[in-house]
Amino acid sequence: MSPVWSLGAGLLLLLLWVRHRGLEAVLVHHRWVFVCLFLLPLSILFDVYYQLRAWAVRRLHSAPRQHAQRVRHIQAQVREWKNEGSKRYMCTGRPGWLTVSLRVGKYKKIHKNIMINLMDVLEIDSERQVVRVEPLVTMGQLTAHLNPMGWTIPVVPELDDLTVGGLIMGTGIESSSHIYGLFQHTCVAYELVLADGSLVRCSPTENSDLFYAVPWSCGTLGFLVAAEIKMIPAKKYVKIHYKPVRGLQKICEKFTEESEKKENSFVEGLVYSLEEAVIMTGVLTDEAEQSKINRIGNYYKPWFFKHVEKYLKDDRTGIEYIPARHYYHRHTRSIFWELQDIIPFGNNPIFRYLFGWMVPPKISLLKLTQGEAIRKLYEQHHVVQDMLVPMKALEKSIQTFHADLHVYPLWLCPFILPNNPGMVHPKGNEAELYVDIGAYGEPKRKQFEARASMRQMEKFVRSVHGFQMLYADCYMTREEFWDMFDGSLYHKLREEMNCKDAFPEVYDKICKAARH
């Protein structure tokens, strides 16, 4: 039988099976079928399109010339909104399914959509060590652009598809954040179109109130059209040291100790149970022992979190040299560990060697095709949350995550939080060491109920003066939300810049209690 006939017969059997089980049942209980046959090939086409577009822009050097024209088009749309009587709030016209956030925002259907087609790297200033980019530039695109020139940015948040705009208006973190802070702390200037259609540049010395108020504002102060980000010299490898640790107190002590060492370029922890973890530290280097190089980003390699787990199971330490760009995107192929719930056999060596080059599916396509049944299933039986808590509360926080969620692995990422103005800052007058605890997966706690359990978690995070990342589902009341975040500067600027009729308050935009 020819390959064409075999393929045809296979597709016919698949369609008969889908018809027998029902499309919704297949999408809910056998989602891997749809993902493998349709979403993985579509994701490849998405990547090819954007890579070709980026190549064309670099070859033609069109981005800087067209940037000003595109910004004027955004200003014209805002002025048109004003001329129409400012009857509706404004928001970006980017479809909600294209964002990495799993939250389903319904506001775009009722707000005035402002089209913002800004996705290019504009300028690299080697003398100032600054790169100027448009807001829809992704982390994968930026590192691919900078690394061949010998540069990188200090904080490279993990997933390829995260955008500069999302990381500024929301937040971003990486295992270098114990030195550099959150993504916002590596930015030196923003350019925004405001509610009156004017274009404004802000920095720590120019319109400084706006500069400090923009992060975490989720696009409710203006439209970001460009950002300037610090650059640092890139090196070829990251020398990683893996250390398994047992006992919760020892895990917290070791993680805190390594996070306080500035000689560590990177610090990360993966907690596999309440009493077991692997703490990883890394340093940038141009030299490597050839026998210890691990190109973990290659499509046929084991998923990173599974690779790390081997050190725990074998109860041994280890040292590896990972190419820098592979390290920056080490969790991308498995979307941390979310992909194991979508493609259960995704880390199988046969699947990796045959189809690993197509992984991961685009999160945006997963959202677009999930349907109401899957959305409700995920909402009630799945958790994707990042809670930022003071390092001194780490042990108590892990115990709370265990009691309320029981999701493993947990991701630990330390960061220094400076005492800057804005929505997020330490309780005291000095910078403080914090840690991001990421929980992604299906809670194993009995009687888990999404709203009640997450409200309990949010209450705990507020009690230790922590913060919840705003990309995820948030169940707080308005009073609770502004108890967690400092809204003094934010509300002051919304009043001064006439934002109240132009943009919704950040709480109304992101919190479930306001959206339902």
Side-chain angles (χ1 to χ4, degrees):
M1 186 181 289
S2 71
V4 175
W5 280 105
S6 299
L7 180 62
L11 287 174
L12 179 60
L13 289 172
L14 175 64
L15 290 172
L16 290 172
W17 177 67
V18 169
R19 183 178 180 183
H20 172 69
R21 293 297 305 272
L23 181 59
E24 185 174 286
V26 170
L27 291 179
V28 171
H29 301 292
H30 306 279
R31 200 179 184 195
W32 62 268
V33 175
F34 183 72
V35 169
C36 291
L37 290 180
F38 299 102
L39 294 195
L40 288 180
L42 276 177
S43 298
I44 292 293
L45 293 177
F46 257 59
D47 281 335
V48 169
Y49 166 75
Y50 282 110
Q51 287 172 11
L52 287 174
R53 185 188 182 282
W55 175 84
V57 166
R58 285 197 301 270
R59 294 284 295 182
L60 300 173
H61 300 288
S62 61
R65 291 201 302 270
Q66 294 185 13
H67 175 74
Q69 178 184 339
R70 291 172 181 158
V71 171
R72 285 194 295 270
H73 177 60
I74 294 167
Q75 291 177 284
Q77 293 177 76
V78 173
R79 289 176 183 135
E80 179 186 0
W81 165 82
K82 285 189 69 179
N83 293 336
E84 292 172 349
S86 310
K87 296 176 182 178
R88 296 181 290 165
Y89 288 138
M90 292 183 289
C91 66
T92 65
R94 189 185 188 210
W97 60 268
L98 273 175
T99 64
V100 172
S101 168
L102 295 179
R103 186 176 61 246
V104 178
K106 299 177 180 178
Y107 58 89
K108 289 184 182 285
K109 295 179 181 178
I110 57 174
H111 293 177
K112 170 74 171 178
N113 282 213
I114 305 298
M115 301 311 297
I116 298 179
N117 183 31
L118 301 171
M119 56 183 71
D120 297 317
V121 178
L122 297 174
E123 178 185 0
I124 296 173
D125 188 332
S126 300
E127 188 173 329
R128 289 176 58 218
Q129 294 194 11
V130 166
V131 57
R132 182 169 172 254
V133 299
E134 293 179 329
L136 294 182
V137 167
T138 66
M139 288 300 98
Q141 176 187 352
L142 187 55
T143 55
H145 192 96
L146 292 179
N147 288 169
M149 302 179 187
W151 295 103
T152 188
I153 55 176
V155 175
V156 184
E158 179 57 43
L159 301 178
D160 279 11
D161 291 339
L162 292 171
T163 64
V164 168
L167 295 167
I168 291 170
M169 291 295 184
T171 194
I173 193 170
E174 187 42 88
S175 53
S176 56
S177 289
H178 66 296
I179 299 173
Y180 299 105
L182 298 171
F183 186 83
Q184 69 202 55
H185 301 127
T186 68
C187 297
V188 296
Y190 310 127
E191 297 167 39
L192 296 102
V193 172
L194 303 183
D196 61 358
S198 62
L199 176 64
V200 172
R201 184 180 186 274
C202 59
S203 72
T205 58
E206 178 184 5
N207 298 308
S208 60
D209 278 358
L210 181 58
F211 177 79
Y212 290 116
V214 162
W216 296 77
S217 67
C218 297
T220 59
L221 293 174
F223 295 109
L224 184 71
V225 295
E228 295 176 25
I229 309 167
K230 295 175 186 174
M231 298 189 304
I232 58 174
K235 293 192 176 181
K236 293 180 181 178
Y237 300 100
V238 177
K239 181 182 180 181
I240 293 287
H241 181 258
Y242 303 91
K243 182 172 179 58
V245 184
R246 287 179 167 80
L248 180 57
Q249 184 178 350
K250 290 182 179 179
I251 290 169
C252 296
E253 288 174 353
K254 181 64 176 176
F255 186 75
T256 303
E257 175 190 335
E258 297 296 345
S259 300
E260 290 173 344
K261 295 178 180 177
K262 300 302 182 187
E263 60 265 32
N264 287 328
S265 305
F266 306 97
V267 179
E268 175 183 24
L270 295 185
V271 182
Y272 290 91
S273 75
L274 185 61
E275 301 291 335
E276 296 178 310
V278 178
I279 308 299
M280 289 159 280
T281 57
V283 293
L284 287 163
T285 178
D286 283 323
E287 306 297 328
E289 298 177 46
Q290 292 300 310
S291 62
K292 294 183 178 180
I293 293 176
N294 183 1
R295 303 185 188 280
I296 196 69
N298 288 348
Y299 70 87
Y300 52 83
K301 288 284 190 174
W303 291 345
F304 184 70
F305 79 98
K306 286 295 188 182
H307 172 67
V308 173
E309 191 176 18
K310 285 186 176 180
Y311 290 95
L312 183 66
K313 289 181 176 179
D314 297 344
D315 196 24
R316 63 183 176 89
T317 61
I319 291 176
E320 288 184 330
Y321 295 83
I322 299 178
R325 191 156 186 266
H326 287 222
Y327 176 81
Y328 289 135
H329 303 287
R330 63 200 176 282
H331 292 296
T332 292
R333 287 190 300 123
S334 56
I335 317 178
F336 281 85
W337 29 95
E338 288 277 69
L339 199 57
Q340 66 182 350
D341 292 333
I342 300 171
I343 307 177
F345 47 83
N347 195 48
N348 182 284
I350 296 174
F351 180 87
R352 292 201 314 266
Y353 275 90
L354 293 178
F355 305 108
W357 56 276
M358 292 194 290
V359 168
K362 291 287 183 187
I363 294 176
S364 54
L365 293 178
L366 288 171
K367 284 176 63 179
L368 179 65
T369 59
Q370 68 181 358
E372 191 64 17
I374 295 177
R375 188 189 69 77
K376 288 182 177 178
L377 188 72
Y378 264 60
E379 189 173 290
Q380 291 301 320
H381 304 287
H382 199 85
V383 167
V384 180
Q385 291 282 349
D386 283 85
M387 299 294 188
L388 316 181
V389 298
M391 185 67 79
K392 60 192 177 188
L394 176 57
E395 184 172 349
K396 189 176 180 182
S397 299
I398 293 177
Q399 290 170 338
T400 301
F401 270 73
H402 179 81
D404 291 347
L405 302 179
H406 201 102
V407 172
Y408 291 101
L410 293 174
W411 188 53
L412 302 184
C413 185
F415 69 99
I416 192 71
L417 184 61
N419 187 34
N420 292 337
M423 286 176 60
V424 171
H425 55 74
K427 192 172 184 179
N429 296 322
E430 297 181 356
E432 185 175 349
L433 192 61
Y434 270 62
V435 56
D436 173 11
I437 305 177
Y440 325 118
E442 181 182 350
K444 297 299 190 290
R445 175 180 178 260
K446 293 180 180 178
Q447 292 91 38
F448 171 81
E449 199 280 316
R451 185 179 184 277
S453 297
M454 288 316 306
R455 280 190 54 75
Q456 189 70 20
M457 286 293 304
E458 290 165 350
K459 181 180 179 181
F460 167 77
V461 172
R462 291 196 305 275
S463 74
V464 296
H465 197 73
F467 309 96
Q468 180 181 22
M469 282 198 185
L470 301 183
Y471 75 86
D473 284 333
C474 172
Y475 295 86
M476 290 182 281
T477 65
R478 193 179 305 272
E479 292 72 25
E480 290 166 344
F481 182 85
W482 290 118
D483 180 45
M484 177 179 285
F485 296 98
D486 182 354
S488 55
L489 180 60
Y490 172 79
H491 290 304
K492 170 176 170 282
L493 285 180
R494 274 178 62 83
E495 191 76 43
E496 291 177 358
M497 300 191 309
N498 298 315
C499 293
K500 289 189 173 182
D501 294 328
F503 308 104
E505 185 183 298
V506 61
Y507 174 81
D508 295 312
K509 192 170 182 179
I510 63 99
C511 283
K512 292 184 77 67
R515 292 184 285 120
H516 296 281

